Amino acid sequence: MSPPPSPPAPVPEGEGRKSGFLLPPLALYVHIPWCVRKCPYCDFNSHAASAKLPEETYVDALLADLAADLPAAHGRELVSIFFGGGTPSLFSARAFERLLDGIGRRLSFARDIEITLEANPGTFEQEKFADYRRLGINRLSIGVQSFQNAQLHALGRIHDASEAIRAAEMARRAGFDNFNLDLMHGLPGQDVASALADMRQAIALEPTHLSWYQLTLEPNTLFWSQPPKIPEDDLLWDIQEAGQTLLAAEGFVQYETSAHARDGRRARHNLNYWTFGDFLGIGAGAHAKLSDPHGRIRRTWKTRLPRDYLAPERRFQAGERLLEADELPFEFMMNALRLTEGVPAGLFGERTGLPLASIAAPCAAARAAGLLENDPQRLRPTARGQLFLNDLLQYFLP
């Protein structure tokens, strides 16, 4: 493995560097855009797979994409890697071996790096779990959504309840002592009892992390044009309260809007997003947030359609946008205030290069409205602020 590039020399203030700004940790998101079938609620960049996936070609493209982005790393090591989709577990262990080796030749890995792979509970993918673990992938995120066959059918999922249970059991047997289960609530025809039955089954499988989130009807999905009948708001609230009570009783700590962890196993990749860290994004439609030593922050996005991303004349990056100073408070808070404990107040200056005084007025207004805690050491939403996060964020718009 070739040595990583040397870190850049610090840029003295007075040469364009923002006061207080520090280059944040760096993560890598890798998008694999194919699924067996597109789910009717999904608005992610995913596409129905053909009989044979272009694994080799796509891995080649991912590594070329990463090579083009290397200057944005500024010598930093990767603190986490997340393989998302789509359904990354459609790819073979051999493809991930090539990919991880190629990434490791271009960037150094933190000693305790978290490497997460999204997987679906189809039987074919389960057979590969042990191979993935041997490659150094140390966390799985399994898209269960429900353990009730009628609900899985309504959601367009290709697995049944028994496969979902078996996937979690096989993940543990394959050596994954850290895995997440994705679980939805507010499903068509769901009541409190059926939502809690799903949750109890999930807890019984002993995941270290549960992502428990409400079904939402997103534009550009089948459910948006042909909406199912979902529970009324009062019932949704009852489900939310009952579910959070059960999770807390079972030792799961809610640390973010829809994320609950046991034994401190918080998703480090997602924590990097929520604390306004940097991340490279490679793959069809992948997004990135990148800082430079002067404190300039930009968002970039890649060519969305797989056929265009793989075209011989490909240009991976489809666009980029430099964030203006007046946008940074909202961009920072949009992430940080999802965390139930918020973030240290000093992190605002480190990640944006702006003085904390620049958000004194909106913070005061949010505190007066009962949405932000009156704590000078932390930027933290109140319980009410967590419930009405969109209202809280309005105070930080440009």
Side-chain angles (χ1 to χ4, degrees):
M1 184 179 294
S2 58
S6 300
V11 180
E13 292 188 17
E15 293 187 21
R17 186 179 185 275
K18 286 185 181 176
S19 176
F21 180 81
L22 297 173
L23 272 177
L26 181 69
L28 173 65
Y29 175 77
V30 183
H31 192 72
I32 297 175
W34 292 283
C35 286
V36 173
R37 183 172 66 202
K38 181 82 170 178
C39 294
Y41 58 84
C42 177
D43 68 338
F44 295 154
N45 182 32
S46 59
H47 307 266
S50 57
K52 182 173 173 55
L53 288 173
E55 279 191 355
E56 292 289 320
T57 308
Y58 196 71
V59 170
D60 288 342
L62 287 170
L63 294 176
D65 190 358
L66 179 61
D69 282 352
L70 282 182
H74 296 291
R76 288 170 288 178
E77 64 183 13
L78 291 178
V79 298
S80 66
I81 301 173
F82 194 101
F83 296 106
T87 307
S89 54
L90 289 176
F91 269 27
S92 68
R94 180 174 173 273
F96 282 108
E97 183 174 23
R98 275 192 65 218
L99 187 50
L100 283 166
D101 181 68
I103 295 168
R105 290 177 183 277
R106 291 162 174 82
L107 290 165
S108 60
F109 292 2
R111 181 170 304 190
D112 60 347
I113 188 170
E114 175 192 88
I115 305 178
T116 302
L117 177 82
E118 285 187 335
N120 278 342
T123 302
F124 178 70
E125 290 93 327
Q126 292 177 38
E127 298 169 358
K128 295 182 267 189
F129 284 178
D131 292 332
Y132 294 151
R133 186 67 190 91
R134 282 193 290 270
L135 293 175
I137 296 169
N138 52 24
R139 185 174 182 270
L140 284 182
S141 182
I142 305 174
V144 170
Q145 315 311 352
S146 176
F147 291 97
Q148 299 173 47
N149 287 335
Q151 293 289 9
L152 290 169
H153 178 74
L155 292 172
R157 304 295 288 173
I158 64 169
H159 66 272
D160 63 21
S162 63
E163 287 178 310
I165 293 168
R166 195 159 57 244
E169 291 171 344
M170 291 187 70
R172 189 169 292 283
R173 285 201 297 270
F176 286 96
D177 61 355
N178 187 16
F179 68 92
N180 169 68
L181 297 180
D182 275 347
L183 201 63
M184 281 187 177
H185 62 90
L187 304 179
Q190 191 175 57
D191 58 16
V192 174
S194 61
L196 292 184
D198 267 351
M199 183 173 290
R200 288 191 180 97
Q201 176 60 80
I203 292 168
L205 294 170
E206 300 183 325
T208 49
H209 193 282
L210 273 170
S211 297
W212 190 57
Y213 52 94
Q214 183 180 316
L215 171 65
T216 56
L217 308 184
E218 302 288 354
N220 303 314
T221 65
L222 182 62
F223 273 5
W224 181 261
S225 57
Q226 301 174 32
K229 184 173 176 55
I230 58 177
E232 300 291 337
D233 286 348
D234 287 349
L235 180 51
L236 289 172
W237 176 251
D238 290 343
I239 291 172
Q240 181 82 16
E241 278 197 316
Q244 288 179 337
T245 299
L246 176 58
L247 283 166
E250 293 291 337
F252 284 89
V253 175
Q254 182 182 9
Y255 68 98
E256 187 268 344
T257 302
S258 59
H260 303 74
R262 187 183 254 167
D263 303 326
R265 295 295 190 98
R266 302 182 178 196
R268 285 161 52 198
H269 185 85
N270 290 343
L271 277 173
N272 188 56
Y273 291 151
W274 297 324
T275 54
F276 213 47
D278 276 2
F279 56 97
L280 295 161
I282 60 174
H287 286 240
K289 178 251 173 184
L290 301 165
S291 309
D292 70 19
H294 295 272
R296 292 182 292 256
I297 301 171
R298 60 193 173 97
R299 293 198 180 275
T300 69
W301 53 96
K302 300 298 172 62
T303 299
R304 181 177 175 83
L305 294 178
R307 68 169 181 267
D308 295 334
Y309 186 83
L310 292 173
E313 68 282 2
R314 60 181 175 261
R315 176 186 171 91
F316 297 118
Q317 186 164 303
E320 70 174 279
R321 188 172 72 84
L322 185 70
L323 297 180
E324 301 295 337
D326 64 352
E327 297 178 278
L328 291 175
F330 178 81
E331 290 275 339
F332 178 90
M333 292 296 192
M334 178 176 62
N335 292 282
L337 295 181
R338 291 182 63 92
L339 295 169
T340 58
E341 298 172 359
V343 296
L347 191 69
F348 177 77
E350 291 177 15
R351 298 287 157 90
T352 67
L354 300 176
L356 194 59
S358 66
I359 55 169
C363 283
R367 287 172 179 138
L371 300 174
L372 192 69
E373 292 285 1
N374 189 19
D375 181 351
Q377 302 303 315
R378 294 193 74 80
L379 298 168
R380 178 183 180 184
T382 62
R384 177 178 171 81
Q386 292 172 38
L387 290 174
F388 299 99
L389 183 58
N390 287 340
D391 292 343
L392 173 53
L393 291 175
Q394 297 299 310
Y395 290 94
F396 299 96
L397 285 169

